[in-house]
Amino acid sequence: MGQEFILFAGTANPALAAAIAAELGIQLGASTVERFPDGELAVRLDEPVRRREVFVVQPTAPPVDDHLFELLTFADACRRSAATRITAVVPYFGYARSDKRHARREPITASLVARLMEAAGVDHVITLDLHAAQIEGFFHIPVDSLTAVPTLCRALRERLPAEVVVVSPDTGRVPMATEYAHRLGTSVVVLHKRRASGTETEVTHVVGEVRDRPCLIIDDMISTGGTIARAVVALLAAGARPEVVIAASHGLFVGGARTKLNHEAIRDVFVTDSVALDDPSWPHLHVVSVAPLIAGAIRRLLGDQSLGDLY
Ligand code: R5P
């Protein structure tokens, strides 16, 4: 593969960007990201991108607005410097949960983010386990939405107790839970989650049989850990064995998540490296890299090939 393309790392997850570059056998592109004394962002590309295919790796993880704006400025710099095609590699897509209006006078921020990326010059997006598949529809440019489920299943297989059932923490995650169950050769249990407020939810029903079974709770993301913590309590109350494994594509771990997940029934927590972790030294935590998956997608895009055989 020649050097007609260049991969830049934003500041959101330089370790993942470096791992993707290593998979592709290239060096990361040189760039500088600084702040002016008043807090304004200064991004500079330190090598030419004219007539080159450019990839910018920047999950829009917390602090979401800072990382999103940095991605937009990278794209603007590439566009003004005559890059051929600008692909935003956004393994975690911030604001994805604002994918519809839950009440009157609310924005659909995921749609706004899509328009901002396009306005900044992004031509193509690679993302991973979008919170809602319809977010692709907010874009008028190609979006390649990858999934970490096969990667996580490979890592999980060795650690799962026999007779495990896959638990979807709400109805929205049933398709993902079904994919896990299919790959792991087991069945799905669904929790009915009721949202009491923007931050408060409760589990009202456990749909399926969990008595004396170990559980694998899956989700697209762990943010504050509240959803998972409430799921664990509901499953134990329904008679599940106190052997619970968690798998989520994106580990944000904000707002005391680790304390909430410090439950004696939780044996292991699996996440990918889509989001940079402040402190990976947590004995239950297993971080599985999606760098080979993303590098595989980039390789196929560069060769104008289908992504159909990625998994
Ligand atoms: C909700 O619909 C999502 O799929 C996650 O379940 C949720 O966002 C996780 O957030 P938290 O960890 O704060 O409960």
Side-chain angles (χ1 to χ4, degrees):
M1 196 176 292
Q3 271 300 284
E4 69 284 358
F5 74 100
I6 185 162
L7 185 81
F8 287 112
T11 60
N13 196 342
L16 175 62
I20 296 169
E23 287 283 335
L24 292 167
I26 58 164
Q27 299 283 320
L28 282 172
S31 63
T32 307
V33 179
E34 290 172 329
R35 293 253 166 212
F36 289 113
D38 60 1
E40 287 182 356
L41 188 66
V43 168
R44 194 179 58 242
L45 309 179
D46 294 324
E47 55 186 283
V49 296
R50 184 177 300 279
R51 292 200 173 283
R52 290 172 89 184
E53 174 110 35
V54 173
F55 296 82
V56 182
V57 180
Q58 180 78 332
T60 49
V64 178
D65 296 345
D66 287 356
H67 288 148
L68 171 62
F69 199 72
E70 189 186 311
L71 173 63
L72 300 176
T73 53
F74 259 101
D76 191 67
C78 294
R79 182 177 59 84
R80 290 177 191 282
S81 309
T84 310
R85 178 166 68 167
I86 304 161
T87 298
V89 182
V90 190
Y92 170 74
F93 192 98
Y95 286 115
R97 284 173 291 181
S98 177
D99 61 335
K100 56 180 162 306
R101 300 213 298 165
H102 299 275
R104 287 179 183 170
R105 297 181 293 281
E106 282 189 355
I108 301 180
T109 315
S111 163
L112 174 63
V113 169
R115 279 181 285 138
L116 288 172
M117 285 188 192
E118 289 186 17
V122 171
D123 299 299
H124 196 126
V125 175
I126 297 176
T127 187
L128 180 82
D129 287 327
L130 275 176
H131 174 69
Q134 67 266 24
I135 291 169
E136 269 191 54
F138 296 156
F139 287 91
H140 300 95
I141 54 175
V143 176
D144 282 307
S145 187
L146 311 179
T147 177
V149 173
T151 309
L152 282 165
C153 282
R154 275 196 295 279
L156 280 162
R157 263 189 204 104
E158 296 166 14
R159 307 278 307 183
L160 286 180
E163 299 187 311
V164 73
V165 285
V166 176
V167 178
S168 174
D170 52 39
T171 49
R173 225 38 57 198
V174 171
M176 180 182 253
T178 306
E179 182 61 25
Y180 271 97
H182 171 70
R183 287 179 178 271
L184 297 169
T186 183
S187 52
V188 175
V189 167
V190 182
L191 304 186
H192 186 76
K193 182 170 92 174
R194 195 181 73 85
R195 185 162 289 285
S197 72
T199 51
E200 278 305 306
T201 59
E202 61 171 325
V203 176
T204 55
H205 298 89
V206 177
V207 184
E209 192 45 70
V210 294
R211 185 158 300 282
D212 295 328
R213 303 283 296 269
C215 295
L216 167 67
I217 308 175
I218 62 90
D219 211 341
D220 59 327
M221 68 173 88
I222 299 172
S223 181
T224 66
T227 298
I228 299 290
R230 283 183 285 276
V232 171
V233 170
L235 291 168
L236 294 178
R241 214 189 290 166
E243 263 184 274
V244 178
V245 177
I246 315 294
S249 305
H250 313 294
L252 275 64
F253 300 119
V254 296
R258 287 180 190 228
T259 308
K260 288 192 198 108
L261 297 181
N262 202 10
H263 189 293
E264 57 188 9
I266 298 179
R267 299 291 164 88
D268 291 299
V269 179
F270 285 77
V271 292
T272 78
D273 55 355
S274 64
V275 174
L277 294 172
D278 289 346
D279 174 16
S281 63
W282 184 22
H284 296 309
L285 188 66
H286 305 264
V287 182
V288 183
S289 184
V290 286
L293 175 68
I294 294 174
I298 290 175
R299 228 181 262 120
R300 283 166 178 76
L301 282 182
L302 289 168
D304 287 332
Q305 291 161 355
S306 155
L307 304 193
D309 66 343
L310 252 183
Y311 306 104

